[in-house]
Amino acid sequence: VDPPLAVWDLSSSLLSLWMNRFYIYLGFALGITLWICVQIVMKKQGFARILAKAVTSLHLPVAIIDLRDYDPDDHLVEEITSKNVCAFLVATYTDGRPTESAEWFCRWLEDAASDFRFGKTHLKGLRYAVFGLGNSAYSSHFNKVGTNVDKWLWMLGAHRVLTRGEGDCNVVQSKHGSIEADFRAWKTKFISQLQALCKGEKKKSCGGKCKKGKCESKPRGSGETQPASGAQGESHHREAEEEEPCESTSEDDFGTDDHQSPSSVVDVEDLGDIMNHMRKEKRENDQDEKASVLRNTEKNEDNKGRAMITPALREALTKQVDAPGARRLLQSHRCMEATPSLACANKCVFCWRHHTNPVGTEWRWKMDQPEMILKEAIENHQNMINQFKGVPGVQSTRFEEGMQIKHCALSLVGEPIMYPEINRLLKLLHQCGISSFLVTNAQFPVEIKNLIPVTQLYVSVDASTKDSLKKIDRPLFKDFWQRFLDSLKALAAKQQRTVYRLTLVKSWNVDELQAYAELVSLGNPDFIEVKGVTYCGESAASSLTMANVPWHEEVVRFVRELVTLIPDYEIACEHEHSNCLLIAHRKFKIGGEWWTWIDYSGFQELMRQYEESGGSKTFSARDYMARTPQWALFGARERGFDPKDTRYQRKNKAKDISGC
């Protein structure tokens, strides 16, 4: 065991100064330098900077290093002889792989850990801690990278100063309610451990009875138990000590060494400490069992599942709704945007909710009745509109119209078709004279098949191949591609208006046009809406930047090329300021004129007849179409902007960015 940092004689001090000569330029405080290795693109005030700021408050020098620039061959071994503590913040990406910036570092660690030439003491003396970032919705590889990095470092003889932390993006399953709260809890423990290291309060293998700097006990490295391989069990949130017996419990993180396994040879003097530790573990296990029994009892008493909206989730979503960029209702002032389900089966890279909503492959939450959902949705919509009463620039006629809801877009967030009573909710909307626009992510083909008629049914077609869809949508279902194809086939059987919705992300899904054409022939949609992705700001959950947002001219070029591959379709409409174009089936071009708009009163009458006949009197999309105004057509001078409205341009704008 190393002597405490506060107890140095002259010779050891000079030697340590020479060994740490590089770090003296960064600053010197009790011989400890903290290296925070980051392998993901963090927010401006990301976890790395938050941790660095906390360490700086201890008057310790800190360096933040991207693993992309970190060569383990040259630098990792140097940490062994230094007084550094290396904190690794690592994320798990698609299929349990590390992000691109951390691939080489993880590959080096894995190879070294399995190479007999390195040996089990190659990194002996290196002190480290790991915090993993993942999403428990992906149960097969939750926090796999963090688990592996921790395991490989341990296998190479490095010394873990703190139990591995696990951050969970899934707010429903997160131990502390959100990944930010998970990190704060781990950071608090890490800072406390650093303080203990600085003060030389870390317990010795002798139990701390030796004089400072005079401990003669041998290290216990031979008695450590190798951690598990990192395979995930049924529970995504088991404690770290359950999967890695060599680690301390969360309560023992501060001031304790990795304890010996019961099968190790121990000194008689240490037997009391070991027995006390085992008794403590037994008490904790008993408490966990009682808590588990209580949870199971509560679950049996109420089998409706837990609430979908947790306090942390409510806070996060409320902030987003209140954000200026989220007030999209006023663009279609009589349209209410809502959702009966916050949950989704995808984690799309361009999700404007930054993945704060829960995820899942089936409904497992408490269910609100559709009557309550509709009532509160209308009230909330009217309250939101009412906030603009008297605001300069708000037209009084538009304000009054906005209070009378005529349309509902079930696309606010999540996957609305997951809601078990989606058909009842749609019926209620139609009974109130409200048209329905429903968006689905093409992962629930059976639900699409069983869906009653809606005014317009959208299916998100975010990519044209299996690999690109997996990369962009990051679906939870293992059979996501077959579900995707089956959803498109189910769409083809619908008689009412159907739409493919393509969101173009530059450098991600703008190629493979022939594959897109094949998907069009599979679902035979009435319309194809193509729009450029909207940049929603920095997020730890996505690597998108403004560079991924296509210019309107680029969207037009993509649409022109796609239309040449689908002979039954033409470009019908353009909405330049939304960076969007509409491709329509030629059956909506009658007498040389486009009829792509909707006769809403006609739809409501057709739905009334459909309901009264018990569903026997069906109707098609052509039965409630309306003529498209000239200004909305592709090639029109207005480029989709209603001339009755007044358009306000930004001053001193060098270039028309057209909604980008």
Side-chain angles (χ1 to χ4, degrees), residues 232-244:
Q232 300 296 317
E234 294 181 358
S235 172
H236 313 317
H237 293 278
R238 57 192 176 188
E239 294 296 329
E241 62 267 25
E242 292 179 1
E243 55 179 303
E244 299 186 4

Side-chain angles (χ1 to χ4, degrees), residues 253-266:
D253 282 335
F254 313 129
T256 61
D257 263 324
D258 295 341
H259 63 274
Q260 289 175 303
S261 64
S263 60
S264 304
V265 178
V266 300

Side-chain angles (χ1 to χ4, degrees), residues 554-565:
E554 294 174 312
V555 177
V556 172
R557 183 166 58 250
F558 174 90
V559 170
R560 288 184 183 277
E561 293 176 0
L562 178 59
V563 166
T564 62
L565 301 175

Side-chain angles (χ1 to χ4, degrees), residues 539-569:
S539 168
S542 175
S543 59
L544 294 186
T545 66
M546 280 299 296
N548 298 113
V549 180
W551 294 97
H552 186 66
E553 293 83 355
E554 294 174 312
V555 177
V556 172
R557 183 166 58 250
F558 174 90
V559 170
R560 288 184 183 277
E561 293 176 0
L562 178 59
V563 166
T564 62
L565 301 175
I566 45 178
D568 293 332
Y569 294 83

